[in-house]
Amino acid sequence: MKKKLFAVVMTAVMAVSMAACGGSNTASSTANDTTDVSVMEDVTATVVEAGEPVAAEDIKVGLICVEDENSGYDASHIEGITKACEDLGIDTATQLIIKKDIPEDESCYDNAVDLAEEGCTIIFSDSYGHQSYMQEAASEYPDIIFVAATGDMAATTGLGNFKNIFPHTFESRYVSGIVAGMKLAEMMAEDSSLDPYVGYIGAYPYAEVVSGYTAFFLGVRSIVPEAHMDVQYTNSWYDPTAEGAAAEALMSKGCAIISAHADSTGAPSAVQAASKNGKKVFCVGYNIDMRSVAPDAALTSAQNNWSVLYKHMLDCVIKGEPVPVDYSVGADQDAVMISELGDACAEGTAEAVEAAWKGIKDGSIQVFDTATFTCPAAEDGSYTVDENGVVTSAYGLDADGDFVNDNGEAIVDGAFVESELRSAPYFSLRIDGITELN
């Protein structure tokens, strides 16, 4: 049953009215609410005023997952929201409802409505394709907060009860790239003829994936400057067979280390099988520790601590404070990390990792420092480069929906600032040294 939007609400500029609980605007310094006033000046939004505090025992939480615990990505969300609830005194047996295996179609809307009718105070979804259906439900239930994780539309919809969250995954990708780079350098020291060739399996050519694989590659290159990388897409978030086949194809071309942005263990399992058959090849995973499926080959995995983001949003509701439109944090809030280092890691890796985390937290390391990469000239006008291919200006947001970034300057003090104009990644530059195979 659909509700009609009946609440009488005021309109205001979203960036001004929706200040984050416990934080300030990212444009000013260490913001948690990432809405940028400069790029939102023409957008008005329905504003949900800060409500009365809600006792933890009275809140009800919903989560819509695109897969189930067999997907490392969904498992990390389920674990994260469960921990957040436990930390805040929310009974996960009676106050948390998790809907699993919900496709990115009308089924998401139906489940969002079900959760709303079951009395949920706040409803989350974990996959990008859920976003439009969450937005539809949010427009019909103005008193319930809907949060689309990995989404990018909340700040432009005009709905004060529709939100986005995403961690600084690019930071953990970069550090996992350093782990890979250390191993690659060790292999090259042992075999001077080794081609510093790295492979990466991507789900889709979305900014989220591009941002991640570029950060990983820049981490590798911080150790091995001559490294180059191929990216093979599977066009699926979760397909163990396709991910395994992509890993095999990259290994057959000579890749020494393979990483992935996909939700299954398909790629690490394929690398482990090749390793057992005598091939000297290693892998870097995502979401979960891959040592259980690749004990000989797994170096580490880039990971997100979703509990940090879930806890912040829930805490705002409990305290009766405004819930941020966009919320994104990283290593400084322990929202990203890498898994325990595998036995195959090169000597000195732990020290290199520690130094990288320190640099990211104190700002001395900027993952997308424009001095560390070059790009060909842009055909679509979304960025500009100098005569050496160094990016001098780049837009981070798409103002007119044509999938070309044309608003919001993303180059600040010589670095591309990720997840500050909005929570979801928007780094989509194709840098030199990386080849997309399809």
Side-chain angles (χ1 to χ4, degrees):
M1 156 181 176
K2 293 186 178 181
K3 284 188 177 180
K4 296 194 179 293
L5 185 58
F6 61 86
V8 177
V9 289
M10 56 183 280
T11 58
V13 177
M14 184 177 295
V16 175
S17 61
M18 300 305 291
C21 165
S24 57
N25 193 292
T26 46
S28 61
S29 58
T30 58
N32 290 335
D33 181 344
T34 62
T35 306
D36 187 317
V37 177
S38 66
V39 301
M40 295 298 299
E41 56 189 11
D42 296 325
V43 177
T44 58
T46 302
V47 176
V48 175
E49 295 289 347
E52 293 296 321
V54 180
E57 59 267 24
D58 294 331
I59 195 171
K60 200 165 190 177
V61 183
L63 172 64
I64 297 171
C65 295
V66 70
E67 301 285 348
D68 57 21
E69 292 91 346
N70 291 313
S71 156
Y73 175 76
D74 294 275
S76 68
H77 276 274
I78 293 169
E79 178 183 348
I81 200 165
T82 300
K83 184 179 187 304
C85 286
E86 291 173 345
D87 288 349
L88 293 170
I90 299 169
D91 186 348
T92 58
T94 60
Q95 297 173 253
L96 173 63
I97 305 172
I98 301 177
K99 304 277 192 176
K100 303 173 186 176
D101 298 313
I102 307 304
E104 297 171 307
D105 59 22
E106 192 71 18
S107 303
C108 177
Y109 167 79
D110 292 338
N111 279 273
V113 169
D114 287 346
L115 289 169
E117 292 294 335
E118 289 184 60
C120 284
T121 316
I122 183 168
I123 300 167
F124 298 89
S125 67
D126 75 353
S127 192
Y128 183 84
H130 288 150
Q131 178 172 225
S132 61
Y133 304 102
M134 291 284 283
Q135 178 186 339
E136 182 181 0
S139 71
E140 295 163 6
Y141 291 84
D143 299 323
I144 298 172
I145 296 170
F146 292 79
V147 184
T150 82
D152 54 9
M153 295 166 54
T156 61
T157 60
L159 295 173
N161 64 326
F162 186 49
K163 318 292 183 178
N164 290 145
I165 57 173
F166 201 96
H168 290 181
T169 307
F170 64 97
E171 294 175 351
S172 57
R173 290 287 190 190
Y174 180 84
V175 176
S176 72
I178 287 176
V179 175
M182 292 291 291
K183 187 62 182 180
L184 189 59
E186 179 185 76
M187 296 168 71
M188 293 172 68
E190 295 171 352
D191 179 2
S192 60
S193 67
L194 181 71
D195 182 7
Y197 179 27
V198 178
Y200 199 100
I201 299 160
Y204 294 97
Y206 298 165
E208 177 183 340
V209 177
V210 176
S211 174
Y213 74 57
T214 305
F216 171 78
F217 180 64
L218 292 174
V220 173
R221 270 203 167 174
S222 71
I223 307 298
V224 183
E226 64 270 38
H228 60 104
M229 186 170 83
D230 280 356
V231 177
Q232 180 78 52
Y233 292 108
T234 61
N235 297 308
S236 172
W237 291 117
Y238 183 86
D239 190 333
T241 301
E243 293 159 30
E248 291 169 357
L250 290 168
M251 287 186 288
S252 71
K253 295 181 65 177
C255 286
I257 296 176
I258 292 175
S259 188
H261 186 141
D263 295 347
S264 88
T265 59
S269 295
V271 175
Q272 173 65 18
S275 177
K276 293 293 285 185
N277 288 330
K279 192 173 187 66
K280 196 165 186 181
V281 62
F282 302 91
C283 64
V284 171
Y286 184 41
N287 293 310
I288 61 174
D289 189 337
M290 295 296 178
R291 289 177 300 163
S292 61
V293 297
D296 303 305
L299 300 176
T300 191
S301 290
Q303 295 182 305
N304 299 313
N305 182 6
W306 284 100
S307 69
V308 172
L309 290 91
Y310 284 125
K311 183 176 179 179
H312 181 82
M313 303 298 270
L314 293 171
D315 194 44
C316 285
V317 174
I318 290 171
K319 291 178 178 176
E321 298 179 1
V323 179
V325 176
D326 273 279
Y327 185 65
S328 185
V329 287
D332 60 334
Q333 300 291 323
D334 295 322
V336 295
M337 62 273 192
I338 63 171
S339 64
E340 187 173 336
L341 298 177
D343 293 339
C345 284
E347 184 177 352
T349 299
E351 292 78 7
V353 165
E354 182 179 0
W357 283 128
K358 182 178 183 298
I360 288 172
K361 290 177 181 179
D362 67 21
S364 60
I365 292 177
Q366 295 294 319
V367 171
F368 296 118
D369 184 340
T370 57
T372 63
F373 63 88
T374 57
C375 293
E379 297 180 1
D380 60 10
S382 63
Y383 65 92
T384 58
V385 298
D386 65 16
E387 66 276 9
N388 298 313
V390 176
V391 180
T392 57
S393 178
Y395 292 122
L397 302 178
D398 171 16
D400 55 15
D402 64 353
F403 301 104
V404 176
N405 288 346
D406 53 15
N407 199 0
E409 180 58 59
I411 304 299
V412 178
D413 296 331
F416 188 106
V417 290
E418 180 67 293
S419 292
E420 290 194 14
L421 300 177
R422 70 174 189 221
S423 56
Y426 41 83
F427 184 101
S428 57
L429 308 181
R430 268 54 175 191
I431 75 171
D432 295 325
I434 300 176
T435 302
E436 294 173 290
L437 298 180
N438 60 342

